[in-house]
Amino acid sequence: MKPVQTFIVTAKLPQKIAKLKELAYNYWWCWNYNAKELFIRVNNKLWDEVNHNPVLLINKLTQEELEDLASQKDFVAFLDSVYDSFRKYLESEGWFDSLGIDKVGTIAYLSPEYGINESFPNYSGGLGILSGDHLKTASDLGIPLVGIGLLYQQGYFRQKLTQSGWQNELYIPNDFYSMPLLVQRDKNGDPLIVELDFPEGKVYAQVWRMEIGKVHLFLLDTNIDKNTNLAYRDITDQLYGGTRETRIQQEIILGIGGIRALKVIGIEPEVIHLNEGHAAFALLERIRLLMKKFNIDFRSAKQIVIGSSVFTTHTPVPAGNEVFDQELVKKYFSNYVKELGISMEELLSLGQINPYNTTEGFSMTVLGLRLSAYRNGVSRLHGKVARRMWHELWKDIPEEEVPISHITNGVHTLTWVAREFAELYDRYMTPRWRIEPDNQELWDKIEMISSDELWREKQRRRVRLVLFARNYLKQRQKGFLSPEQLNKINDYLNPDALTIGFARRFAPYKRATLLFRDMERLKSILTNPERPVQIIMAGKAHPQDNLGKEMIQTIIHKVRQYGLERYVVFLEDYDMVIARLMIKGCDVWLNTPIRPLEASGTSGMKAALNATVNLSVLDGWWDEAFNGSNGFAIGHGEEYSNWEEQEIIESNSLYDILEQEIVPLFYDRSKVSRIPEKWVEFMRNSIKSVAGQFSCSRMVKDYTIRFYIPALQNYYKLTQDGAKVSKELKDWKDFIRAEWNGVQILDVSFKDEGEFYVGKPVKVSAKIKLGKLRPEDVVVHVFYGSLDPHGEMYNTSYEVLYLTSVEGEVYCYEGSYFCSGTGQQGFTIRVMPSHPLLVNPQDLFCLWANSVK
């Protein structure tokens, strides 16, 4: 039975505690210990029952309970103190203000998911957690950034394991009105709604707002009455759910709808940052709006968008790079291309490696790469992998010069550090680390913390994890355990045993089963009465990934088969609560991906903050973080063509490290202090080397200095005089394309002055015909390096050659470089387009000399 009228009911707080509501509606509380403590004091038991949702907590209190809180002087005083801290935070200047930028503007950050806190289940895993950490850090640093996403009625699925260990998915509707969400309203006070044209009519999306410190996050929701087409209401039901058509619908609403929502709100971002390709349609909508704003054509507006857009690619795994069939794109964009003033073929070509290929799908990643000048992978190794993966888009240049750089991920320190460790850091590093988490000088002071103190806090966290795991199994996983197991639950796990954590998405390439390859050997490691070891696992498989589900079931079957239930537990329905407890309480954080398929990974960074030692394949972030004294590496960075061989080698390496290094170090206790001094040194080095360098503060500063500020500057330059500059840039590119065939490298020579040695300058000259191009339209390089057995150059670099004279139509360039390597060396000459507003010359052309004369 449906109602004839609806309205929203909320709690009415007494005046003395009215500030509690404002705090509840800003997620600042979730990285502020005192604010969190405030809500715990309201009602500790209820706080856990509402999954740490402060709005629902307040709404569930009776009026009598609210009046009672208002009468407690100590609570009101604590509330006033926390609120004062909150207001000071909101009003304070941040790092960004210290940069003294003349024209600031707004950066719009688009992501399909956001992991802010467990009370907002709008995330599935690492991508969402990173998005949430990015917004929190932007708030801390005072970056002028807004977030855009989708609001999923059912969020990501809840995981329920059957007694046989098979994953079932439950979809539980979210009550948005009981979450820290506000309906964004227009100037008339009505809910703000954006509309889009879909094949079967208009689709409408309501805009919600979430406050994350100083940052606004706007979220779009299609489950509203205005969508009379019921199928359109379901578009934002599930994160990564539905059919291929659902996915393109979601990504149109995220990208195109998201940019439209900002415009209606009154925000026209100068820069946009796409967190993965799912939001890449935003680039097209931005072009459309700039065409209207400046009355320019598609390709002129495209210059502005390219120069002021940032694109972050997150995965080398094909499933993570969205590709749509051409027919599906045509279905949804047949009218939209008319607004852009381009043909359907031109649109499709923007998402194709080989433009105008009638059979190639439309890649969202390719669209993002083509329409953004600032592109990056999320670790040093991933940057290299991404350059190799997308080299075909830049065929004329060497792989290492593909214009995709890297900014390694980081984690929001205050979200993930345990309170016990935070207080320890306060004593030895001063509270400055809280506002300067990327300051390495502060983290170097970790050396001052005694082994006794570090070890004591880790023991406390391990005990908390073990008690939580037992209770969680007993309360939440009754259907998964037999009555006999439930009776013995207090025998599960040992609060003093070496505890290994493995928690992540169960995808085949992450190889959760590697540790369980040789069960006899594993059993001997786990059940040694003198040196016991235990494993706590968690993680979900994608609903359509049966291989991932089989991995979970295989592990559970093997554990039961070998009678290891007391030593290996699986916590179902992995979320941020379980993640925090595990990264803080485990001694070892295990990661076993197939290199190089782990783009970055951030859970190990969070673990290191809490003195948990990483044991991982050298992939993603660990490839650049591992230094030999801060954790353990499986292998030496090898990549295999034979996966079976790889499994054998790396599983044996894993067992060897556990048997010969980790377990002995952990149990090698001082006779005096009973502390494993050598193990604690690994803990100390883990914190020291990871906490600052892999903080989200360092990451967002990198994005700001390297991408956001240059992109802001590009935007203002390209939009000068009614975007006249963008039209000039377009015309210049057209001129280059039309006349590039007239460029010829006629002659290359160098001075052979006897014996060559390291450090000796090599003087090079080249004669070049430019046709109708001017010298200022090009840059000439000498490109040099060592030669491999096939005569190909490696360890390459380049220097600029300078114009020295003109002989009719021939331009003479000269310059030099220094020999930096021994053995066989070589060089060549290249000519590339050059323009002050061209961020990446590689995006146009590159002409190479055919041979050295």
Side-chain angles (χ1 to χ4, degrees), residues 646-666:
Q646 182 174 6
E647 292 276 299
I648 294 168
I649 293 170
E650 293 189 339
S651 62
N652 285 329
S653 174
L654 173 55
Y655 295 131
D656 288 344
I657 293 168
L658 288 171
E659 292 166 343
Q660 299 166 24
E661 299 184 67
I662 290 177
V663 175
L665 279 170
F666 185 84

Side-chain angles (χ1 to χ4, degrees), residues 184-193 264:
Q184 182 70 26
R185 299 188 179 274
D186 61 21
K187 59 186 178 183
N188 299 319
D190 298 321
L192 193 152
I193 292 173
V264 178

Side-chain angles (χ1 to χ4, degrees), residues 23 41 102 112 118 128 131 191 205 276 283 289 439 456 467 472 474 540-541 561 588 597 648 656 664 678 710 761 809:
L23 289 170
R41 283 196 194 182
D102 293 334
E118 58 272 11
S131 302
E276 195 52 275
L283 299 164
L289 292 178
N439 186 334
R456 183 172 63 243
L467 294 178
Y472 192 86
K474 186 165 51 179
K540 299 176 178 179
Q561 182 183 349
V588 174
L597 299 182
I648 294 168
D656 288 344
K678 293 179 181 177
E809 294 183 344

